Amino acid sequence: MESFFSENSQAEVLAAGFDWAEGPLWLPDQEALIFTDVPKNKIWQWSELNGVSLFLEPSGYLGERTDKNEPGANGLILNESGELVLCQHGERQVAKMISSLNDPKPEFEPIAQSYESKKLNSPNDLIYNSKGQLFFTDPPYGMDPWDEKELDFQGVYRVDPDGELILLIDSLSRPNGIGLSPDQKTLYIGQSDPEKARYYSFDLDGNGDVIGGKMILDVTHLQSEEKKGLPDGLTVHSSGTLFATGPGGVLVISPDGKHLGTILTGEATANCTFDPEERFLYMTADSFLMRIFLK
């Protein structure tokens, strides 16, 4: 931990008042961070200069129902063309926003909607590799009781540049956060199952196929009233170190699964990301947007 943070490092609250903040993503050209409020079906923008402003509404559900629990977008990422790609809970799809980041509009082009003619659950988090292959997780958190669950598993998928959707993993009970090692040979998954709160690593071959995998850290025993939260979103530092949300806040984990320490947020923490220079780690923690300085 001391290699990343000074002894007196503390998390700073940047904004508050959200229902469940998620999906932080840095926009380099705008010098701003965007993040989702999943229950409110909105994406917000924060910048040092302008503070918080509404970026996009609706973000994940385009229908007429007003009684959905988690309708909004969750994980966000930019593709190689700098376009915004979203995991849309309400629409149960991964989609691309077809308008500009400087003039965002709720207009979307689907990227992945179904597997073998069966509707996806509710795509949650996503990551691109340098070949333009998109990896995403598909737990059921965005589904409401009246939604028909068409798949009998929770999958981890890959979408190739030609649009083909490939199922990589169907053995995890609640695949959630996802990330890639700096050499892009390892896929990391956080499993948000309170009975099996774990982090996994999966070896990838040159085609992006999974050729092996293992659990690297089990944190089920760390859950408590004082340390809220489960493995959820994660990000990978350029050193290969994982910064993964979990019990207590953000866990700092070595590539081989050693728990180096925890950034205590005091809240159930959903996700985290770095700015391009890795000066700050931005964290979405329940109703808060936070950050902590890295030395």
Side-chain angles (χ1 to χ4, degrees), residues 53-72:
S53 59
L54 185 63
F55 180 81
L56 184 69
E57 182 184 17
S59 67
Y61 176 62
L62 310 178
E64 300 298 323
R65 296 195 72 137
T66 59
D67 55 350
K68 294 183 69 63
N69 289 321
E70 295 192 10

Side-chain angles (χ1 to χ4, degrees), residues 148-160:
E148 180 186 358
K149 193 177 191 301
E150 299 184 14
L151 296 165
D152 60 2
F153 59 86
Q154 336 304 333
V156 180
Y157 298 88
R158 188 186 79 232
V159 183
D160 285 341

Side-chain angles (χ1 to χ4, degrees), residues 41-245:
N41 205 11
K42 296 178 180 179
I43 297 177
W44 294 92
Q45 177 174 287
W46 174 89
S47 71
E48 200 85 58
L49 183 63
N50 298 314
V52 175
S53 59
L54 185 63
F55 180 81
L56 184 69
E57 182 184 17
S59 67
Y61 176 62
L62 310 178
E64 300 298 323
R65 296 195 72 137
T66 59
D67 55 350
K68 294 183 69 63
N69 289 321
E70 295 192 10
N74 194 313
L76 307 173
I77 199 165
L78 300 180
N79 64 17
E80 57 189 358
S81 301
E83 299 165 311
L84 181 63
V85 177
L86 316 86
C87 287
Q88 295 185 307
H89 271 189
E91 296 298 314
R92 297 170 66 176
Q93 67 181 11
V94 179
K96 179 180 73 175
M97 186 178 75
I98 58 177
S99 59
S100 162
L101 293 172
N102 292 318
D103 186 22
K105 296 181 176 64
E107 301 166 348
F108 308 101
E109 177 183 305
I111 293 173
Q113 295 178 301
S114 61
Y115 175 70
E116 293 185 344
S117 301
K118 295 180 180 179
K119 202 168 188 178
L120 296 173
N121 299 320
S122 59
N124 188 283
D125 204 2
L126 69 177
I127 189 78
Y128 273 102
N129 68 9
S130 59
K131 296 180 178 180
Q133 294 175 307
L134 176 66
F135 301 80
F136 71 91
T137 58
D138 188 38
Y141 292 124
M143 299 177 66
D144 290 288
W146 58 82
D147 284 321
E148 180 186 358
K149 193 177 191 301
E150 299 184 14
L151 296 165
D152 60 2
F153 59 86
Q154 336 304 333
V156 180
Y157 298 88
R158 188 186 79 232
V159 183
D160 285 341
D162 63 4
E164 183 181 5
L165 179 66
I166 295 143
L167 175 66
L168 297 177
I169 303 162
D170 62 2
S171 58
L172 301 179
S173 57
R174 289 292 186 270
N176 198 317
I178 191 167
L180 281 167
S181 61
D183 65 7
Q184 303 191 356
K185 294 180 180 179
T186 305
L187 187 71
Y188 294 106
I189 305 287
Q191 178 169 272
S192 53
D193 182 338
E195 304 299 320
K196 298 176 182 178
R198 299 169 175 171
Y199 306 94
Y200 292 84
S201 68
F202 294 90
D203 300 325
L204 301 176
D205 66 15
N207 297 318
D209 291 322
V210 170
I211 54 175
K214 62 183 178 180
M215 180 188 72
I216 59 170
L217 182 63
D218 190 323
V219 295
T220 308
H221 65 287
L222 294 182
Q223 300 173 78
S224 69
E225 283 296 316
E226 292 75 32
K227 292 187 175 180
K228 303 172 185 176
L230 290 164
D232 199 328
L234 60 89
T235 190
V236 182
H237 188 267
S238 59
S239 65
T241 304
L242 280 71
F243 286 71
T245 60

Side-chain angles (χ1 to χ4, degrees), residues 215-292:
M215 180 188 72
I216 59 170
L217 182 63
D218 190 323
V219 295
T220 308
H221 65 287
L222 294 182
Q223 300 173 78
S224 69
E225 283 296 316
E226 292 75 32
K227 292 187 175 180
K228 303 172 185 176
L230 290 164
D232 199 328
L234 60 89
T235 190
V236 182
H237 188 267
S238 59
S239 65
T241 304
L242 280 71
F243 286 71
T245 60
V250 178
L251 282 66
V252 183
I253 305 168
S254 70
D256 59 357
K258 183 181 179 182
H259 182 195
L260 305 175
T262 301
I263 303 165
L264 298 173
T265 63
E267 306 290 338
T269 305
N271 214 330
C272 56
T273 195
F274 295 106
D275 63 280
E277 293 79 29
E278 296 180 335
R279 294 176 304 162
F280 291 97
L281 178 73
Y282 291 87
M283 302 168 284
T284 48
D286 200 330
S287 62
F288 298 95
L289 172 66
M290 302 178 176
R291 74 176 177 182
I292 188 167

